[in-house]
Amino acid sequence: MAVGDIYKLRLESIAAGGDALGRFDGKPVFVEAGAPDEAVVCRVTMENKSYRKAELLEIIEPSALRVNSPCVFYGKCGGCNLAHINYEAQLAIKASILKETLVKIGGLQPPEPEIFASPPWEYRNRMQFHCIRQSQKFGLKERASARIIPVTDCPVAATGIRELLRSGELPLPPEKDRFTVFSKDTILLSESGQKRGKIKLLDKEISLDAGLFFQSNCFMLEKLILELRKIAEDTDKSLPMADLYCGVGTFAVFLCDLFPKIILAEENKTAISIARENLKGINAEFFALRDTDWPRVLNKMDFGFAVVDPPRTGLSLKLDGPAVLAYVSCDAASLARDAKSLLESGYKLKKIMLFDFYPQTAHIESLAVFEK
């Protein structure tokens, strides 16, 4: 089999990343936009010793899970890649991938993931757009390309962002080619306009900055916060709590009343300054340090509970202190690697939860609870 060859294939499942998986002569074949239990005609686009990639040319027998996406840009835009599969199936697929990743990479025997579903459309409060300077417009990257395509609507975007896209009326930032927009309720923040503001989460107000990381699905963020609070309530509340990779201190805002003190650590100094604002009047200590520098500070402290929300690369420090560790993960593979290390440090994985922050995409966000 060589690049360019065309053949029929029976697809079996969805693999991590969102491509459908089939096999030809025993070798895995990954097909974009395919669906489980589907017969297709495809063309080989990449061949190596371990696997092949192929493009979908024709669907001979469509999957019972296949649906029509309401987005006119689906398949052109580089964002969503599971919108051709019904939402209930998407959830089951992600839960299966999460569990399989923990087994294969982490060597764990995890419990079945508890699944928290999101509204499948109009959920996304935070989006990044790219400038198209020639026309003074903005858009999203084309699939598998660096080209920017103007997008006049996005069904996964929150109402305020959809209205913005339909109008196209947003000044471009002069100093950036990529910028972030955040919208919730009546609030619209943008790196090309008003950057800072306050939003309502559950029963509290949170200050944020459009230029800083913040979760993109506030509906799911509230569900995550409620679960974190349940976990925190069952820990040793006589000791301080740590909020690591704390961003603007969102988790600490909702957990601080349970503990005598909160320790927050985050590399971004601007985020830490907003966290100070969000936790004003609370007994808290803030560290604006790279995570590789945290051990020299944190290893001198005792915590009963810690929340970590690391980037996709995972933890850069070894944690062996808190009796209970809540790990918010945006990448199943890095979570699995870190889980293996945590188990070697004496922890046990007690619970794994899938929070579907990004419906219509293969992105997997989860919460793992480890106990000593």
Side-chain angles (χ1 to χ4, degrees):
M1 190 64 65
V3 171
D5 284 355
I6 296 174
Y7 57 90
K8 294 180 181 179
L9 186 69
R10 171 67 66 174
L11 301 175
E12 303 168 1
S13 60
I14 300 296
D19 287 350
L21 170 65
R23 296 180 190 277
F24 193 89
D25 292 338
K27 182 182 282 191
V29 183
F30 296 96
V31 182
E32 186 178 341
D37 196 24
E38 194 162 68
V40 301
V41 177
C42 56
R43 178 191 290 117
V44 178
T45 58
M46 193 274 282
E47 170 93 26
N48 70 19
K49 291 181 180 179
S50 304
Y51 65 92
R52 299 182 179 105
K53 285 191 174 185
E55 62 175 322
L56 180 63
L57 299 180
E58 180 187 351
I59 300 171
I60 304 170
E61 297 176 25
S63 168
L65 305 180
R66 182 174 283 278
V67 295
N68 292 320
S69 169
C71 181
V72 297
F73 296 98
Y74 185 60
K76 302 171 187 175
C77 161
C80 300
N81 62 349
L82 289 183
H84 60 287
I85 295 174
N86 77 59
Y87 185 55
E88 289 302 316
Q90 290 182 33
L91 292 172
I93 286 165
K94 292 181 185 182
S96 176
I97 291 171
L98 175 59
K99 186 175 181 181
E100 183 180 359
T101 304
L102 290 170
V103 171
K104 287 187 174 180
I105 297 178
L108 285 82
Q109 294 181 324
E112 288 296 324
E114 186 177 351
I115 300 173
F116 294 81
S118 166
W121 304 103
E122 289 197 336
Y123 66 81
R124 186 151 187 166
N125 302 97
R126 178 180 181 269
M127 292 187 70
Q128 287 190 327
F129 295 106
H130 298 262
C131 300
I132 308 173
R133 296 292 180 188
Q134 301 91 323
S135 59
Q136 288 300 296
K137 300 290 184 182
F138 56 93
L140 298 169
K141 276 195 175 183
E142 189 176 43
R143 186 171 299 280
S145 169
R147 194 170 81 89
I148 310 302
I149 55 174
V151 175
T152 53
D153 194 13
C154 178
V156 301
T159 303
I161 297 178
R162 292 193 80 174
E163 292 173 354
L164 179 67
L165 287 168
R166 289 164 181 160
S167 71
E169 296 177 0
L170 186 70
L172 302 184
E175 74 286 357
K176 289 191 169 194
D177 290 327
R178 183 178 69 178
F179 64 99
T180 301
V181 174
F182 184 95
S183 176
K184 185 179 187 298
D185 303 323
T186 59
I187 302 296
L188 181 67
L189 305 176
S190 169
E191 287 187 282
S192 64
Q194 180 185 340
K195 288 180 64 178
R196 292 199 181 187
K198 292 186 176 183
I199 64 165
K200 186 87 177 285
L201 284 177
L202 296 172
D203 60 342
K204 299 183 186 297
E205 279 194 336
I206 298 286
S207 294
L208 57 87
D209 186 308
L212 299 173
F213 172 78
F214 196 83
Q215 290 285 4
S216 300
N217 184 332
C218 290
F219 177 88
M220 292 307 297
L221 176 58
E222 289 180 334
K223 285 193 171 188
L224 174 60
I225 288 168
L226 291 173
E227 291 304 309
L228 283 171
R229 186 163 178 95
K230 289 179 188 176
I231 296 161
E233 285 173 344
D234 286 335
T235 65
D236 183 350
K237 296 185 288 294
S238 68
L239 293 173
M241 169 202 149
D243 186 354
L244 309 181
Y245 307 92
C246 68
V248 298
T250 306
F251 298 144
V253 167
F254 290 91
L255 303 177
C256 61
D257 63 303
L258 298 174
F259 299 94
K261 186 177 183 179
I262 305 285
I263 306 299
L264 299 96
E266 163 67 48
E267 179 180 348
N268 189 295
K269 293 181 179 180
T270 304
I272 280 288
S273 70
I274 298 177
R276 288 179 184 275
E277 179 184 336
N278 284 329
L279 288 152
K280 188 175 181 181
I282 301 299
N283 185 18
E285 195 170 354
F286 303 85
F287 295 94
L289 298 169
R290 294 178 63 89
D291 53 5
T292 50
D293 293 329
W294 293 349
R296 65 181 171 84
V297 176
L298 301 180
N299 286 351
K300 301 173 185 176
M301 303 178 182
D302 290 326
F303 305 107
F305 177 59
V307 179
V308 297
D309 187 5
R312 293 182 66 85
T313 50
L315 295 174
S316 296
L317 70 161
K318 187 171 183 179
L319 286 170
D320 57 8
V324 180
L325 175 66
Y327 186 130
V328 179
S329 167
C330 60
D331 182 80
S334 61
L335 168 63
R337 289 191 295 270
D338 288 338
K340 186 176 182 179
S341 176
L342 287 166
L343 263 62
E344 292 169 354
S345 297
Y347 284 94
K348 290 184 178 180
L349 176 62
K350 302 296 290 185
K351 187 182 290 189
I352 182 74
M353 291 170 271
L354 168 68
F355 289 84
D356 196 27
F357 273 78
Y358 300 95
Q360 319 308 331
T361 81
H363 183 92
I364 295 175
E365 192 102 3
S366 60
L367 171 62
V369 182
F370 297 89
E371 292 183 5
K372 280 268 183 152

